[in-house]
Amino acid sequence: MDMDTRLLRCFTAVAHEGSLTRAADRLLLSRPALTRQIRQLETQLGTELFTRSDAGTALTDAGAALAAAAPAVLDAWGGALCAARGAAARADRILRVGFVSGGPDGLTRRIVGEFTRRRPGWRVRLAQAAWDDPTAGLAGGTADAALLRLPFPGQEALDIDVLLTEERWVALPAGHRLARRAEVDFAELLDEPFVAAPPEAGWWRDYWLAADERDGRPAKIGAVAPTADAWLTAIAGGHGVSLTPEATARSCRRPDVTCRPVRGVSPGGIGVARARGTEVPQVVRDFVEACVTARDEPERAGA
């Protein structure tokens, strides 16, 4: 019997949430549409997977058995798709490089230039990920390598070369009381509302809230932004301030957002990340070598 993985993903969402309404919100579906998907799956299997009541949705014995097995099936199918897409990209001489927020433009240009010099005929496809995926596609297999802000969740499972370190700045609404300062002390921001990444980003969100440097005082969240554009819009609208990498701050061209250096918070960094292991394709290794060469170019030029 053929099984539509879309139906299986709908089922796992309901099983995880224990509620059709919450699962529908998570999947960006209407509740009636999700109900139809579940009923279609139950028809194909010939058994009920849930019992429904005013208290919510509970798994039947058959549903519990499927819920236990489904994640492995979906992970295997996702891995197969990623492997096929990766092979297709390499056949087309395309290297997929993910990022979450942009690094210094000069460094990125040098990296791409050095890579194409090493691999004539190849192209680098840069893809920006949402903030709820701090690995920028590496964890899900949709990127071959990634240029990432350090630290980030999941980095202990990857091989990383550090390319540079940079200070954290603060992005403020242009009319903010601190916007005219040449430099801002982090202590002056402790009571400010912050624009934060989604909770799914975990401790990476906490890092950009400087949770470890607040002496136990919780951050006030003025807005949640899943993307860089939403983040800038929220700051410009006065919903909060936010720490940001120096390169992002210096490249910001919005007249309604002002960025200033911050005293009292530790610096971050940028690294090139890739999967760990001996099976990493040589073209990915070449990209990493290109990153290291581009990092060291200014030193060689000034020597």
Side-chain angles (χ1 to χ4, degrees):
M1 176 180 61
D2 293 333
M3 181 65 64
D4 187 341
T5 57
R6 177 173 51 92
L7 300 182
L8 200 54
R9 292 187 189 280
C10 289
F11 164 78
T12 56
V14 178
H16 180 267
E17 296 293 342
S19 162
L20 281 164
T21 300
R22 290 195 298 271
D25 290 342
R26 173 177 157 186
L27 295 169
L28 303 180
L29 293 172
S30 68
R31 176 168 171 160
L34 179 57
T35 299
R36 287 194 296 273
Q37 303 283 3
I38 297 300
R39 285 176 177 164
Q40 183 179 344
L41 180 59
E42 290 176 328
T43 298
Q44 289 185 10
L45 294 175
T47 186
E48 288 191 348
L49 299 172
F50 298 99
T51 58
R52 300 160 180 86
S53 68
D54 293 340
T57 304
L59 289 164
T60 63
D61 289 346
L66 183 60
V73 173
L74 291 172
D75 286 346
W77 178 240
L81 288 179
C82 288
R85 288 167 179 160
R90 289 190 291 275
D92 291 337
R93 295 191 172 190
I94 295 172
L95 187 73
R96 305 167 301 163
V97 177
F99 68 99
V100 176
S101 59
D105 289 341
L107 176 62
T108 303
R109 285 195 298 270
R110 292 198 304 275
I111 288 171
V112 173
E114 177 64 22
F115 174 75
T116 53
R117 185 189 69 77
R118 292 168 179 260
R119 285 274 183 165
W122 279 74
R123 292 185 293 118
V124 173
R125 179 186 292 163
L126 292 166
Q128 185 170 15
W131 285 353
D132 58 1
D133 178 15
T135 70
L138 278 177
T142 58
D144 303 305
L147 298 169
L148 296 171
R149 300 284 175 187
L150 306 175
F152 64 88
Q155 69 180 55
E156 66 281 352
L158 302 169
D159 282 334
I160 300 170
D161 283 85
V162 178
L163 301 180
L164 57 85
T165 58
E166 61 179 345
E167 299 299 323
R168 284 186 281 179
W169 286 34
V170 63
L172 308 154
H176 194 276
R177 61 184 176 85
L178 299 173
R180 294 183 179 274
R181 298 277 191 88
E183 193 175 45
V184 176
D185 194 291
F186 184 65
E188 298 178 274
L189 300 171
L190 289 175
D191 293 324
E192 292 285 334
F194 269 63
V195 178
E200 293 79 10
W203 66 257
W204 187 75
R205 162 184 158 121
D206 292 338
Y207 174 78
W208 288 104
L209 293 171
D212 290 342
E213 288 145 307
R214 290 178 172 272
D215 295 325
R217 297 170 66 174
K220 297 179 180 178
I221 306 302
V224 173
T227 65
D229 286 343
W231 171 76
L232 278 171
T233 298
I235 294 170
H239 297 289
V241 304
S242 180
L243 295 177
T244 184
E246 180 180 352
T248 301
R250 291 188 181 279
S251 65
C252 181
R253 297 291 181 264
R254 288 189 59 143
D256 46 8
V257 174
T258 298
C259 298
R260 293 289 181 260
V262 178
R263 296 186 301 269
V265 290
S266 59
I270 293 178
V272 56
R274 69 278 190 195
R276 179 170 293 167
T278 58
E279 300 302 318
V280 176
Q282 184 58 47
V283 67
V284 176
R285 299 181 187 277
D286 290 345
F287 179 78
V288 173
E289 291 178 7
C291 290
V292 174
T293 298
R295 174 195 66 190
D296 297 337
E297 271 185 353
E299 294 182 10
R300 294 206 316 271

